Amino acid sequence: NRPVFLVRWGGLILSFVVIGFVLLYLLFPQVKITPRRLVIARNFMVSSKDQVDFEYLARKPIWSEKRIVILLSHLELANYNRLLVNWKLDHKTYQEFVLSPEIDDKFDGDMNWRRTLWVSFYPRIRKESSLDAAAEIVAYYLRGRVTISEISNSPQDIEHIWERQITTLHGYERLLVAALRSAGIPSQLNAEGQAEFFDGRQWKMTTKVGYFSTNSYLREN
């Protein structure tokens, strides 16, 4: 009976190992971020090529009460998108203005917007080799989908602005930054709170980016 005993114990141990991996890769990412949990994520859930970018994100003081899966989603999808697009960015620009989900703390919310926006915007710019052309496509499509209104009950975080597709002027500009970043286009808010993108040489607003955001709204009102 010794071989049967060993086989049974071996099967039991293997079952515990499988359950452990299921808990780690399916349930663990849903827990909220703590320093200790970040260590576990770094050691078991982040590839060696993504370690530098993981450390960059993990150091940001924006993850309080956020889930690990959101951080990992930004990390993995932004880096995957970077392999798909044709333009080249220096790594510092990429980290600060594409990878980072930090836009405006009043509108950031749970920061769970990258995958949803990527699904909508990447297919439209995937064949573009020019950042200018890609930025115009993103801005044109966004302005056609989202209503700008100063109603008091409009959603105030990026994820829900996109879901309801109505927001204030300030919310629209922040959503535009998120949409550009989701497509791999470096973007930020300028001193006037307007979305702008980096074309590899300078920060600017293309005709369509400017027209279909602030200028369009001001003319309509």
Side-chain angles (χ1 to χ4, degrees), residues 28 33-43 54 58-59 63 68 71:
F28 178 75
I33 291 173
T34 66
R36 185 177 182 84
R37 290 168 181 169
L38 284 175
V39 172
I40 296 173
R42 179 189 305 112
N43 291 335
F54 177 84
R59 286 195 300 268
W63 299 111
I68 289 175
L71 187 156

Side-chain angles (χ1 to χ4, degrees), residues 125-196:
I125 59 90
R126 62 187 178 88
K127 295 182 179 180
E128 296 298 329
S129 58
S130 163
L131 279 163
D132 292 79
E136 289 187 359
I137 290 170
V138 169
Y140 185 92
Y141 179 70
L142 184 68
R143 188 63 187 95
R145 294 291 299 274
V146 177
T147 300
I148 299 176
S149 172
E150 295 303 321
I151 60 175
S152 59
N153 63 343
S154 59
Q156 291 296 310
D157 65 88
I158 290 169
E159 180 183 2
H160 292 98
I161 288 171
W162 176 247
E163 288 179 359
R164 291 185 57 189
Q165 300 189 354
I166 184 171
T167 185
T168 63
L169 177 60
H170 293 297
Y172 179 83
E173 295 290 350
R174 284 138 186 85
L175 176 59
L176 179 53
V177 171
L180 290 165
R181 290 187 185 184
S182 75
I185 303 167
S187 182
Q188 67 174 0
L189 296 170
N190 62 21
E192 288 73 40
Q194 297 172 318
E196 60 182 11

Side-chain angles (χ1 to χ4, degrees), residues 15 65 154 202:
S15 298
E65 298 299 308
S154 59
Q202 60 181 334

Side-chain angles (χ1 to χ4, degrees), residues 53 74-75 77-80 82 89-100 186:
D53 289 331
H74 284 288
L75 174 71
L77 190 54
N79 283 347
Y80 174 65
R82 197 180 189 193
L89 300 172
D90 66 84
H91 201 66
K92 183 178 179 181
T93 298
Y94 164 76
Q95 284 186 329
E96 188 170 354
F97 302 110
V98 177
L99 174 63
S100 174

Side-chain angles (χ1 to χ4, degrees), residues 9 18 48 53 57-58 67 72 89-90 98 100 102 105 117 121 125 147 175 191 195 200 217:
W9 270 102
V18 171
S48 57
D53 289 331
L57 286 179
R67 293 177 295 143
L72 294 178
L89 300 172
D90 66 84
V98 177
S100 174
E102 188 177 20
D105 57 5
L117 294 180
F121 290 96
I125 59 90
T147 300
L175 176 59
Y217 177 79

